[in-house]
Amino acid sequence: MYKYDAIDQQLVNERVAQYRDQTNRYLAGELSEEEFRPLRLQNGLYIQRQAPMLRIAVPYGMLSSKQLRKLGAIAKRFDKGYGHFSTRQNLQLNWPKLEDVPEILAELATVEMHAIQTSGNCIRNITTDQFAGVAPDEVIDPRAMAEVMRQWSTFHPEFALLPRKFKIAVSGTEQDRAIVQAHDIGMEFYQDAKGQTAIKVWVGGGLGRTPILGTVIREHLEWQHALTYCEAIIRVYNLHGRRDNAYKARIKILVKALGIEEFKQQVEAEWLHLKDNPNTITQAELARVGQHFEAMPYENLPAHDASFDSAIASNPAFAAWVKRCVHAHKQAGYRAITLSLKPHGHAPGDITSEQMAVVADLADAYSFGELRASHEQNLILADVKLSDLFPLWEKARAAGLATPNIGLLTDIICCPGGDFCSLANAKSIPIAEAIQMQFDNLDYLHDIGDLELNISGCMNACGHHHVGHIGILGVDKDGSEWYQVTIGGKQGNDASIGSVIGPSFSAEEMPGVVQRLIEVYIQERTAEERFIDTVRRIGVPPFKAHVYASKETSNV
Amino acid sequence: MSNLIKDNAIVADEWTRVTPPVLGEETVRKQAGKVVLFKLTGEETFTAEQIAATQIPEGKVLVPFTVWQANKDKLASRVAQGEVGLLIATHEAIEDVMAEVKDINAFALVAVYVERFADGRIFSIGNLLRTRYGFKNELRAIGDVLRDQLFFLKRSGFNSYLIRADRNAQEALHSLKDFSEPYQGAVDIAQPAWRRTNR
């Protein structure tokens, strides 16, 4: 993974000093609440219900074991001994003190980490596929470009105060796993007819209050121009995006208002001026960054391992874990594995300091000392030998990190919700926990099969509910918490936004509602169909009918 | 004590800002957008009556774009003598301003007014004035200008900053040096870090 040089290190050190000074000025009353707000937000610090929340950047989800140990130590010293992985592949601390944040940043800087631009109206952490560099369907490893873009976007002077937050995702696989279509800018790397790396650029996607999938603004962009083309897009947005209404300030609203053709014309006109400026990426610079992401020193291994095969045959629990949590790898004899942060009955994405230490040890022992966070809020060890899978599983299981539910109904994406977040309309964690307990039977869970259930506590959609096969949105009705249900959302190449099935439900009703959606699926599915396929084939009405029929019966 | 920073030092402000008078009740009018809906962001613009009633004093004057536009001929000789600065607000489309201005370098000073510090349009406008329109003279940020924006303003082509009256300009000077080696190329340092040094 990328290692800081003197310039990177100096920049984060200077950031610590700058933010320490800003905090001191705020505490001394020299900065008003309103003036300090964008400063602390651009450093990932929110003022929440109970305490501030600090969001620490994990660039494109990559972490070293050393960094994870440090995060665990920080959570222990400055927080309550746990952290929360977010859907932007970042780590959030729910209970730090505002006065401690400069010291936390100083600690982070010692392991080449920071909290720069993890919130606020600026370019946020750039996200990508958690299997970057190891996925068999990968065409281009997007991490070198993601790092080049991270550096370019860090303290970009022209785009420091945009109309609203700005999210970029990059992906270089056949099957999109980075939801590029749900981002302000999505970049899909591919090989063009000449064998050169090219980029398909999507713009104007986003979830939130107005969920819209992105539109292709350019089918073919040479990779050298990735930064200048982004500059053109973001300049048009910075100058013309709405600033009078935060709910209408995202780039997607501007793209809709202008129409993609007009927007594209403005961007292309701007780009004529910016193209080939010094931010144009050279082969040498891409290679310099790319050397940090070269393939690991893999052993030459056979495609099969006898000890692994016999462990599967003799141990059903291990076999179940392998089925859900072990993923194909480019390199023969290796696998990527997901450590589930979704044990049933716990807040999705949460991890204790002790667990962080265990994962760091596992990464050191079995995966070249590196790991990744996924936007589904789990952790990935990307380079594990087949023969190491069984001992790894035993240790992960002992630490509560081996729930065999990846991609299943209980692998719920969930925002912190009303328990922590001051934006939330409703709690989301208790809903996730209740649904997990409703489907605690593993055999039943495996029989239901692939299903993505996403929960957001408000329409800001941090829990990506719009693209969940089942999406749950917390809404406020006359001061009480209700939940609106959508089905048919999907991430990936054939992404879609879910449809609302009808009037919202109380918290107590939610496990039953999900149960009834599953009943319809089980009854209607063909042998090969996943839940999402059945929804797409038969549509919303049968699901709606069954859910509300039983609701009426129960109300009588 | 002056609150004006120019080229990394505090200097006296020689310019008088011209502000159209407030007339009667009708002082606020939404910008009549010749463009489209999203340009209507509610900024205050001057009415024709206000512009007509504006008094322009002697000496070096900083004149709002619309006032200059209405008095173009009258002001031409003073522009030539270097006594007129052009004041552009962030909501005024820079391409429309530049369509009216034949030679931007005829103005000794261009100032960009930002009503709220969070309005980042000022950065793009500064960048465009320097890189697209070739403005070479003093480029000043005025309005809600606070020290934590200075580094970005400098990188976007500004070289003078009128710090908001209730803030200490002396202390604000420090923020011009917040970071020593920025990553990306911008107006002040055109080359990105990896082109400047052997990384």
Side-chain angles (χ1 to χ4, degrees):
Chain A
M1 62 185 282
Y2 187 74
K3 304 269 189 306
Y4 279 12
D5 68 4
I7 289 180
D8 301 300
Q9 190 63 49
Q10 181 177 35
L11 191 123
V12 294
N13 292 348
E14 288 172 339
R15 171 54 161 183
V16 174
Q18 181 197 41
Y19 189 74
R20 196 186 292 281
D21 179 64
Q22 289 170 345
T23 302
N24 288 343
R25 280 187 278 137
Y26 168 69
L27 293 172
E30 292 166 26
L31 277 173
S32 72
E33 205 64 65
E34 190 205 355
E35 289 159 7
F36 185 53
R37 193 167 172 275
L39 303 181
R40 65 171 165 75
L41 284 178
Q42 301 222 344
N43 198 49
L45 189 69
Y46 287 74
I47 302 298
Q48 298 287 42
R49 286 175 193 240
Q50 332 267 358
M53 181 274 276
L54 178 65
R55 186 181 291 148
I56 296 164
V58 181
Y60 38 90
M62 292 288 302
L63 279 169
S64 69
S65 57
K66 187 179 169 192
Q67 291 174 326
L68 187 64
R69 269 191 206 96
K70 176 61 82 176
L71 291 172
I74 288 173
K76 190 150 223 136
R77 179 171 157 206
F78 296 100
D79 204 289
K80 295 189 174 180
Y82 72 96
H84 171 81
F85 278 99
S86 78
T87 53
R88 271 212 95 57
Q89 300 177 296
N90 291 321
L91 183 87
Q92 299 182 173
L93 297 178
N94 283 318
W95 310 89
K97 290 200 187 70
L98 188 143
E99 311 85 79
D100 285 341
V101 173
E103 197 49 37
I104 296 175
L105 297 184
E107 284 291 315
L108 289 172
T110 66
V111 292
E112 307 181 358
M113 294 188 83
H114 59 76
I116 297 164
Q117 290 169 213
T118 52
S119 180
N121 297 334
C122 51
I123 302 172
R124 303 286 191 88
N125 187 29
I126 292 161
T127 51
T128 191
D129 172 20
Q130 65 264 37
F131 300 115
V134 304
D137 73 334
E138 185 170 88
V139 184
I140 313 278
D141 182 347
R143 292 174 298 169
M145 280 296 271
E147 174 59 27
V148 169
M149 295 184 79
R150 179 192 76 81
Q151 298 190 13
W152 160 82
S153 63
T154 299
F155 302 130
H156 195 297
E158 187 177 343
F159 308 134
L161 291 165
L162 296 170
R164 197 74 179 81
K165 60 187 171 184
F166 203 89
K167 299 180 176 181
I168 301 176
V170 297
S171 164
T173 51
E174 282 164 17
Q175 291 303 314
D176 168 52
R177 285 180 290 268
I179 359 180
V180 294
Q181 294 182 48
H183 284 77
D184 296 285
I185 292 178
M187 292 201 151
E188 192 182 325
F189 297 96
Y190 67 97
Q191 290 222 313
D192 67 13
K194 292 182 197 152
Q196 302 294 313
T197 300
I199 309 169
K200 183 173 179 176
V201 186
W202 303 74
V203 72
L207 300 174
R209 189 170 291 250
T210 316
I212 300 175
L213 293 176
T215 314
V216 176
I217 184 167
R218 204 169 224 281
E219 287 284 350
H220 184 275
L221 179 72
E222 294 172 318
W223 61 268
Q224 292 89 336
H225 305 301
L227 303 182
T228 58
Y229 200 75
C230 284
E231 283 176 343
I233 292 174
I234 305 175
R235 178 177 287 172
V236 169
Y237 169 57
N238 189 41
L239 284 168
H240 302 302
R242 285 182 67 165
R243 289 174 182 269
D244 59 329
N245 181 340
Y247 298 128
K248 297 191 188 310
R250 294 286 291 271
I251 193 174
K252 60 193 171 189
I253 305 291
L254 178 64
V255 174
K256 276 269 180 247
L258 285 174
I260 186 66
E261 283 312 316
E262 169 64 20
F263 181 76
K264 181 183 166 119
Q265 196 194 319
Q266 293 192 15
V267 168
E268 293 281 332
E270 199 61 46
W271 189 49
L272 279 182
H273 295 280
L274 294 167
K275 189 168 181 272
D276 299 324
N277 83 18
N279 288 328
T280 304
I281 307 163
T282 58
Q283 184 68 55
E285 172 62 0
L286 188 66
R288 178 187 76 83
V289 177
Q291 69 190 353
H292 294 280
F293 300 101
E294 278 170 6
M296 292 297 181
Y298 297 119
E299 293 171 36
N300 261 326
L301 296 174
H304 293 279
D305 180 86
S307 69
F308 171 68
D309 292 341
S310 74
I312 289 194
S314 63
N315 190 325
F318 177 61
W321 180 75
V322 169
K323 192 173 167 198
R324 297 312 316 186
C325 303
V326 174
H327 320 280
H329 198 289
K330 268 182 185 173
Q331 179 73 20
Y334 283 82
R335 295 289 185 273
I337 66 108
T338 300
L339 297 169
S340 174
L341 300 185
K342 316 287 178 69
H344 296 171
H346 288 88
D350 276 11
I351 180 168
T352 66
S353 293
E354 290 73 21
Q355 286 176 317
M356 288 189 230
V358 170
V359 175
D361 290 345
L362 291 176
D364 282 340
Y366 302 117
S367 196
F368 301 102
E370 292 186 5
L371 64 143
R372 298 103 183 274
S374 69
H375 83 261
E376 289 95 349
Q377 305 174 286
N378 294 306
L379 293 178
I380 281 82
L381 299 178
D383 301 284
V384 183
K385 284 193 276 192
L386 271 178
S387 57
D388 286 338
L389 287 174
F390 188 76
L392 187 158
W393 170 71
E394 287 186 306
K395 290 175 192 169
R397 192 156 89 138
L401 295 162
T403 312
N405 63 347
I406 298 308
L408 299 177
L409 191 152
T410 56
D411 183 12
I412 295 171
I413 293 182
C414 182
C415 71
D419 292 297
F420 298 101
C421 178
S422 51
L423 302 172
N425 289 322
K427 295 188 182 67
S428 49
I429 293 170
I431 303 301
E433 291 171 345
I435 293 169
Q436 287 175 333
M437 296 322 288
Q438 173 89 13
F439 293 90
D440 195 33
N441 180 321
L442 282 174
D443 291 336
Y444 184 44
L445 200 55
H446 282 255
D447 178 54
I448 296 166
D450 291 334
L451 197 155
E452 296 176 11
L453 193 156
N454 299 355
I455 307 177
S456 303
C458 74
M459 48 234 304
N460 288 309
C462 296
H464 298 174
H465 64 276
H466 302 295
V467 292
H469 303 168
I470 297 175
I472 298 174
L473 166 66
V475 291
D476 175 89
K477 275 203 302 200
D478 307 324
S480 60
E481 298 180 1
W482 292 82
Y483 297 88
Q484 189 182 71
V485 175
T486 52
I487 59 173
K490 190 175 179 304
Q491 58 171 324
N493 300 40
D494 57 343
S496 56
I497 303 283
S499 310
V500 177
I501 64 167
S504 50
F505 305 94
S506 69
E508 298 71 44
E509 290 174 299
M510 283 314 301
V513 169
V514 176
Q515 181 70 54
R516 287 189 285 277
L517 290 171
I518 298 304
E519 284 164 11
V520 176
Y521 161 63
I522 301 273
Q523 190 181 324
E524 300 288 336
R525 70 179 170 184
T526 63
E528 295 302 312
E529 269 182 352
R530 299 164 300 170
F531 178 85
I532 180 68
D533 304 318
T534 306
V535 174
R536 284 182 168 183
R537 179 172 55 83
I538 69 178
V540 173
F543 291 92
K544 178 174 179 163
H546 186 58
V547 167
Y548 290 94
S550 41
K551 190 172 161 73
E552 277 159 27
T553 320
S554 69
N555 285 351
V556 171
Chain B
M1 184 67 190
S2 166
N3 242 21
L4 178 67
I5 296 174
K6 186 180 173 192
D7 299 331
N8 303 315
I10 294 178
V11 298
D13 189 357
E14 302 171 333
W15 295 83
T16 306
R17 182 173 161 193
V18 174
T19 309
V22 175
L23 301 174
E25 295 295 302
E26 201 197 3
T27 56
V28 178
R29 193 171 77 179
K30 299 280 183 193
Q31 185 185 14
K34 72 161 191 164
V35 195
V36 275
L37 178 78
F38 54 86
K39 283 264 183 178
L40 294 169
T41 47
E43 284 92 350
E44 193 172 324
T45 59
F46 304 121
T47 63
E49 295 75 27
Q50 279 180 290
I51 290 167
T54 303
Q55 299 292 322
I56 302 175
E58 294 301 308
K60 291 187 167 185
V61 285
L62 181 56
V63 184
F65 168 68
T66 47
V67 174
W68 168 79
Q69 203 177 8
N71 295 280
K72 211 193 277 193
D73 296 337
K74 232 167 35 187
L75 287 171
S77 63
R78 293 181 63 184
V79 170
Q81 286 159 19
E83 285 193 351
V84 179
L86 188 66
L87 176 57
I88 304 166
T90 53
H91 64 83
E92 287 170 327
I94 188 67
E95 61 272 21
D96 294 348
V97 172
M98 292 308 299
E100 283 290 311
V101 176
K102 292 285 174 291
D103 174 16
I104 191 72
N105 283 311
F107 294 96
L109 169 72
V110 170
V112 184
Y113 171 72
V114 61
E115 190 175 306
R116 291 177 308 112
F117 67 88
D119 180 356
R121 288 179 293 193
I122 191 170
F123 306 128
S124 287
I125 292 168
N127 187 310
L128 287 169
L129 280 166
R130 291 297 194 200
T131 61
R132 178 93 30 100
Y133 301 114
F135 181 60
K136 295 188 174 63
N137 303 326
E138 180 180 347
L139 182 57
R140 182 182 294 186
I142 70 169
D144 200 13
V145 177
L146 304 173
R147 84 176 254 189
D148 295 293
Q149 278 74 55
L150 289 195
F151 186 76
F152 299 131
L153 286 167
K154 179 179 81 166
R155 297 225 64 212
S156 299
F158 289 85
N159 69 322
S160 80
Y161 323 88
L162 184 61
I163 302 295
R164 206 173 75 192
D166 62 333
R167 293 304 154 94
N168 186 323
Q170 193 69 46
E171 284 176 9
L173 273 173
H174 296 294
S175 287
L176 286 170
K177 292 180 287 197
D178 273 349
F179 300 99
S180 17
E181 290 287 353
Y183 278 133
Q184 62 294 99
V187 181
D188 60 338
I189 303 171
Q191 306 293 321
W194 51 270
R195 284 188 198 264
R196 299 195 301 272
T197 58
N198 188 14
R199 297 191 73 181

